[in-house]
Amino acid sequence: MEAATERPDAPIAGAGSGSVVLDVRGMHCASCVHTVESALKRVPGVADAVVNLTTEEARVRFDPTAASIPAMVQAIEQAGYGAREKTAEVEAQAQDEAALALRAAQRRLLLAWLLTGPVAVLMIIHMSHVLHLPYFEWFEVALAVPVLAIAGAQTYRQAVRSFVNFQPNMDALIAIGTGSAFVTGPLSLMGLPVASYTAVGAMIMAFHLTGRYLEARARGRASQAIRRLLELGAKTARVIRSDAEVEIPISELNVGDVVVIRPGEKIPADGKVLSGASAVDESMATGESLPVEKSPGGEVIGATVNTTGVLYVRVSRVGKDTFLAQVVKFVQEAQSAKVPIQAFVDQVTAVFVPIILLIALVTFLAWLVFPDAMLAMATALAAYLPWVHAQNASPGTLAAFAAVAVLVIACPCAMGLATPTALLVGTGTGAARGILIRSGEAIQTMRSIRVVCLDKTGTLTTGKLSVTDVVPVPERTREEVLRWAASVERNSEHPIAAAVVRYAAEQSIEAMDASGFAAVPGKGAEARASDAVVHVGKDAYLADLGVNLSEIRETVDKLQAEGKTTVLVAVDRQVVGAVGVADTPKPEAASAVRALKEMGLQVAMITGDNARTAHTVAQQLGIERVLADVLPGEKAEAVKQLQREVGPVAMVRDGINDAAALVQADVGIALGTGTDIAIESADLTLIRGDLSTLVTAIRLSQATFRKIQQNLVWAFGYNLLAIPLAVLGLLHPLIAELAMAVSSLNVVGNSLRLRKFRV
């Protein structure tokens, strides 16, 4: 390995961030994870190490002046595993290696069953006394040797390494169990009073190799989300160079390049539309099923698909800075995270294998020393379990039988897979729907959330002003009011003016040419149109100009009571009507609030707006609790208040402002805006900025944690139930090995159900 050829104390080039991801090979169970983590944490300068069994990687935080990547690699190798720094090239290579390893595992299990199958058939015939087979014991020993020595060689090598490093793992249990079963055959042939379990040992290894192969396949399916994301990117780009279109590899694309994207083609990188109009399928990024219209000035996301027209796009981000690269990075970080409940699992697995070895030894000795007492307990328990029965054999045979069953039933595979597989599938499922779950802890915390606190502007509302009402005075029409207002406001850059002009255009009302435009900051504006002087602005502004507002006063009071900004229009100092403008709620906001309440959650609004406007919006959406007039610096304290009064809080807002409030909340949720997903203070990021995905995100988080709980209950539960049966000789070693393999597959299969998650 290249890294191993450098000096262990060599400084780490470009490691100013103090973090690295290592590709770790050879791990099979929770004990392996603990061994690798312990080895890394013993390296001087390493602050923390988190190892993930499912993704086969270690994320390490370290002091670059004291630690080095070669030193970490060396520590992992000395612990009996393979390691290297995870780069883009290594990641691609690792996928090929994983495919080769899967095929090798398949060959091992085929060899094992090719030899074990005949032994199993002959053993059944021999034990049924239907036919006496001379030299059967010699035959089963001869066939068992290649099963254990060739097909099972890797298992034995890993077992030896784990013992050398004083960190026995799953392979150690299998090695001792199968080895012990095999030895009974030669001992029986030597005339000792021991029944031969050599064929059982071979079958245990065959079952073990089958389980290992199926588990590897299932784990590969669980990690498909990242591979699919990586495969989404375009491979080439059509660039304008010297007034000609040139097709280049995506790796040669630079910021500032102008690319041409035709209908049906993938957009090669993030950028801004220079010319052209089209609808872009952004479902891979946001989960939005409908294509999004793009026109000059609009932003596009790399790897999304252009569906209709031709677009000319100036590239703004390439490589690791692109939206897709950020999503992959965030999902990988989340998949490597650990939920708090994992701390308990880690403590158990740290001592699990040694305890099982001790139980197996005590079981063996107990059957040799106290055979009658053990048989009596087994018979008494069997009376309550009709599917098992006490064995009738010599003490030595029963001792070996029970000890081997204890060893093979208790492999901690399921414990090691319980949390990471659920996280892997849950975060991958979320990413496919525009939900980035960036904190493993948030997944566990989400189940205890009591209140969802929503920021108003940009979260519950669209974040931009829209015309809500156009009220003319008697003998005037809505069209007249809008035409006069738009004729003046088209010359202004004020957000209210832009809303009026936009609404008039939507209503197909053409503004008149105006001259002599003059703005009065904070009050309004005037201009001359169609030989008339037109004033547009606040009621106080028009009143100061001597305009009689009596016939419009009731309308003004009503609109203002509803929290709307009111713009009056006067022509030659005669009022013609009023225009109500407001930041309107998002279309999906009311249904999202209703869904949150149906989940048993309280919903609160927090805003810097005045109480009247805030309560108006809250009433429209069905929100009872409102915290208004809250300054940006006070929002974290407002979240604390909710935590004290109600309980754990999920804070939702639409950007990187109020980072303190997001951090103060038990779970911080940010609404992204397409390519803007680099919101470091958020635990969850909703790329689409759609509140309907908030409900999905909460339910997905809760579903993911339920899977973790179910997996752990199964992983620990089957051990707690099966080990006593094994100790008393009521569990055949073959059934024990099959149960162990099924346990691991059940954990992975249960996690994979998250891929079918529906709201």
Side-chain angles (χ1 to χ4, degrees):
M1 195 167 303
E2 292 101 3
T5 62
E6 303 177 33
R7 289 187 302 112
D9 58 347
I12 301 170
S17 62
S19 64
V20 68
V21 180
L22 301 176
D23 178 55
V24 183
R25 288 156 293 157
M27 297 188 297
H28 302 300
C29 66
S31 294
C32 298
V33 171
H34 176 72
T35 300
V36 174
E37 283 185 350
S38 299
L40 284 169
K41 289 175 181 177
R42 287 194 295 268
V43 176
V46 169
D48 188 35
V50 177
V51 177
N52 189 299
L53 174 62
T54 309
T55 59
E56 296 182 307
E57 64 183 24
R59 290 182 177 267
V60 189
R61 288 191 300 107
F62 60 94
D63 177 0
T65 63
S68 70
I69 293 174
M72 299 176 205
V73 169
Q74 186 178 50
I76 294 173
E77 290 177 339
Q78 287 176 347
Y81 303 89
R84 56 191 167 177
E85 183 179 1
K86 197 164 191 175
T87 61
E89 293 76 16
V90 166
E91 194 157 5
Q93 184 181 346
Q95 291 181 22
D96 294 335
E97 291 173 351
L100 291 173
L102 192 62
R103 285 196 291 271
Q106 186 180 41
R107 287 194 298 271
R108 284 193 292 271
L109 80 88
L110 289 175
L111 172 63
W113 281 113
L114 184 65
L115 297 175
T116 303
V119 171
V121 172
L122 293 175
M123 182 177 69
I124 293 171
I125 294 173
H126 186 73
M127 293 176 63
S128 65
H129 303 292
V130 174
L131 179 66
H132 177 70
L133 301 173
Y135 306 109
F136 169 74
E137 289 80 4
W138 289 98
F139 185 72
E140 67 173 345
V141 169
L143 287 181
V145 168
V147 172
L148 301 182
I150 300 176
Q154 185 185 54
T155 300
Y156 284 104
R157 282 195 297 269
Q158 292 282 12
V160 170
R161 287 175 184 170
S162 72
F163 279 118
V164 169
N165 290 289
F166 301 102
Q167 295 278 2
N169 59 9
M170 177 194 76
D171 292 312
L173 298 180
I174 292 294
I176 294 175
T178 55
S180 300
F182 173 80
V183 166
T184 59
L187 291 177
S188 176
L189 290 173
M190 293 168 59
L192 296 176
V194 177
S196 174
Y197 285 105
T198 295
V200 172
M203 281 187 276
I204 289 173
M205 181 60 75
F207 275 125
H208 170 67
L209 295 175
T210 303
R212 181 73 61 80
Y213 169 73
L214 294 175
E215 179 188 307
R217 282 192 60 185
R219 282 161 59 181
R221 289 176 60 202
S223 60
Q224 282 178 355
I226 288 291
R227 289 200 298 275
R228 285 176 178 169
L229 285 172
L230 290 169
E231 291 167 359
L232 285 173
K235 303 298 184 288
T236 61
R238 194 177 290 107
V239 187
I240 302 295
R241 298 272 170 90
S242 302
D243 296 326
E245 292 184 16
V246 180
E247 190 166 348
I248 62 172
I250 202 72
S251 58
E252 297 179 12
L253 199 60
N254 299 313
V255 172
D257 281 340
V258 176
V259 295
V260 184
I261 306 107
R262 292 190 169 85
E265 294 180 344
K266 286 184 179 180
I267 295 172
D270 300 354
K272 184 169 288 188
V273 178
L274 290 179
S275 63
S278 181
V280 176
D281 179 359
E282 296 185 339
S283 58
M284 59 73 60
T286 66
E288 175 60 63
S289 57
L290 296 176
V292 180
E293 296 295 330
K294 299 294 179 181
S295 56
E299 289 190 338
V300 293
I301 301 170
T304 56
V305 180
N306 183 26
T307 62
T308 53
V310 177
L311 292 176
Y312 289 81
V313 173
R314 186 178 299 281
V315 174
S316 59
R317 283 185 286 266
V318 296
K320 63 181 179 60
D321 298 322
T322 63
F323 169 87
L324 181 61
Q326 288 185 65
V327 170
V328 170
K329 171 177 171 279
F330 292 153
V331 175
Q332 285 176 328
E333 289 175 352
Q335 291 179 342
S336 297
K338 288 190 177 183
V339 294
I341 198 173
Q342 185 67 28
F344 168 70
V345 179
D346 291 343
Q347 290 174 350
V348 172
T349 54
V351 296
F352 185 81
V353 174
I355 288 176
I356 293 303
L357 289 172
L358 180 61
I359 291 174
L361 178 61
V362 170
T363 298
F364 183 78
L365 295 175
W367 275 102
L368 288 179
V369 178
F370 308 109
D372 295 337
M374 295 295 290
L375 188 59
M377 286 190 289
T379 303
L381 182 58
Y384 297 97
L385 304 173
W387 62 89
V388 299
H389 64 278
Q391 300 292 317
N392 183 18
S394 66
T397 297
L398 289 173
F401 182 94
V404 170
V406 169
L407 290 169
V408 297
I409 190 63
C411 293
C413 302
M415 296 180 197
L417 294 168
T419 298
T421 51
L423 277 177
L424 196 72
V425 180
T427 52
T429 300
R433 300 178 184 209
I435 301 166
L436 295 184
I437 302 173
R438 302 182 56 196
S439 164
E441 184 174 354
I443 288 176
Q444 181 167 340
T445 306
M446 193 68 80
R447 70 188 182 117
S448 59
I449 290 298
R450 294 292 173 267
V451 57
V452 177
C453 184
L454 298 154
D455 187 62
K456 182 181 82 68
T457 305
T459 301
L460 285 166
T461 64
T462 60
K464 63 180 182 180
L465 296 173
S466 301
V467 172
T468 58
D469 303 85
V470 179
V471 185
V473 298
E475 300 180 1
R476 294 283 188 171
T477 65
R478 294 179 76 257
E479 290 74 14
E480 286 182 277
V481 175
L482 273 175
R483 181 173 286 109
W484 289 114
S487 299
V488 175
E489 300 285 42
R490 67 190 300 187
N491 298 292
S492 173
E493 296 180 353
H494 195 281
I496 293 177
V500 171
V501 173
R502 184 172 58 251
Y503 184 72
E506 291 170 355
Q507 301 299 309
S508 301
I509 295 173
E510 188 174 348
M512 298 174 284
D513 292 332
S515 60
F517 174 82
V520 181
K523 294 185 177 182
E526 69 172 90
R528 178 174 288 276
S530 190
D531 295 326
V533 177
V534 185
H535 291 89
V536 180
K538 294 181 177 179
D539 55 343
Y541 170 56
L542 268 64
D544 290 343
L545 294 172
V547 178
N548 183 2
L549 303 179
S550 58
E551 60 181 331
I552 201 77
R553 175 54 61 190
E554 185 177 343
T555 297
V556 172
D557 292 342
K558 177 178 178 293
L559 292 175
Q560 290 180 343
E562 293 172 355
K564 297 170 183 175
T565 300
T566 307
V567 176
L568 299 182
V569 183
V571 179
D572 289 335
R573 298 182 189 263
Q574 296 293 318
V575 68
V576 296
V579 179
V581 180
D583 179 9
T584 56
K586 291 181 177 179
E588 76 282 358
S591 60
V593 169
R594 187 165 55 251
L596 291 171
K597 288 182 174 181
E598 289 171 356
M599 294 166 64
L601 299 170
Q602 292 190 35
V603 182
M605 175 200 290
I606 186 168
T607 179
D609 277 357
N610 62 76
R612 184 172 63 182
T613 301
H615 280 283
T616 298
V617 174
Q619 187 175 17
Q620 292 174 344
L621 300 177
I623 298 174
E624 290 84 18
R625 181 152 193 156
V626 178
L627 298 121
D629 295 308
V630 181
L631 298 175
E634 299 172 345
K635 289 189 177 180
E637 186 57 42
V639 171
K640 281 185 183 178
Q641 178 185 336
L642 284 172
Q643 289 170 324
R644 287 192 297 267
E645 295 177 7
V646 185
V649 172
M651 172 71 184
V652 187
R653 65 161 294 107
D654 71 319
I656 60 175
N657 297 330
D658 300 336
L662 285 175
V663 172
Q664 174 60 42
D666 298 273
V667 178
I669 303 174
L671 299 183
T673 53
T675 57
D676 180 23
I677 61 168
I679 305 171
E680 298 297 334
S681 53
D683 300 306
L684 278 77
T685 299
L686 311 180
I687 300 170
R688 197 163 77 205
D690 186 332
L691 278 174
S692 62
T693 59
L694 170 63
V695 178
T696 304
I698 293 175
R699 287 178 173 160
L700 177 60
S701 297
Q702 293 174 339
T704 300
F705 188 71
R706 279 197 301 274
K707 290 299 180 188
I708 291 173
Q709 288 179 307
Q710 291 167 6
N711 290 347
L712 289 174
V713 167
W714 173 264
F716 283 103
Y718 102 96
N719 274 297
L720 291 175
L721 291 173
I723 290 175
L725 294 177
V727 168
L728 294 175
L730 298 176
L731 195 62
H732 195 285
L734 285 179
I735 302 300
E737 171 57 27
L738 182 61
M740 188 278 291
V742 169
S743 173
S744 298
L745 293 173
N746 179 67
V747 162
V748 178
N750 189 44
S751 299
L752 285 171
R753 293 189 185 101
L754 282 170
R755 294 166 65 183
K756 299 180 180 178
F757 170 81
R758 295 289 181 271
V759 178

